[in-house]
Amino acid sequence: QSIVQRISNSMYEVTDSGAKVLQGIKAGLSELGICSGIVAPPFRTCREHERAMISAAIAEIEPIVQQLSLSQT
């Protein structure tokens, strides 16, 4: 549960927008090269400093997630 909370705090609390979860998901997926980080209007795409915070969070969390993934096999 602590990993889920870390992901939530570091990716979904970056903006104060009502669409912060959507913005965090899109920015995170964009950082991973899965899709564009663009969010459709009326919402806004994460700003550069917000994306940098999400990128740093992914860099911190990714090794933990990979280790958990390996322990499940």
Side-chain angles (χ1 to χ4, degrees):
Q1 184 178 11
S2 65
I3 293 170
V4 173
Q5 190 64 44
R6 283 175 66 183
I7 292 169
S8 176
N9 289 342
S10 61
M11 294 186 63
Y12 307 146
E13 299 294 328
V14 173
T15 74
D16 58 0
S17 165
K20 62 186 170 188
V21 172
L22 176 62
Q23 290 170 312
I25 290 170
K26 290 287 286 187
L29 290 173
S30 176
E31 288 297 315
L32 295 172
I34 295 172
C35 70
S36 162
I38 297 172
V39 179
F43 306 115
R44 68 167 177 79
T45 301
C46 285
R47 295 183 174 99
E48 191 60 37
H49 72 281
E50 295 164 340
R51 286 183 59 102
M53 292 170 64
I54 290 170
S55 180
I58 289 171
E60 179 185 336
I61 293 166
E62 197 169 26
I64 298 166
V65 173
Q66 287 179 355
Q67 183 178 18
L68 286 173
S69 175
L70 291 174
S71 70
Q72 297 293 320
T73 57

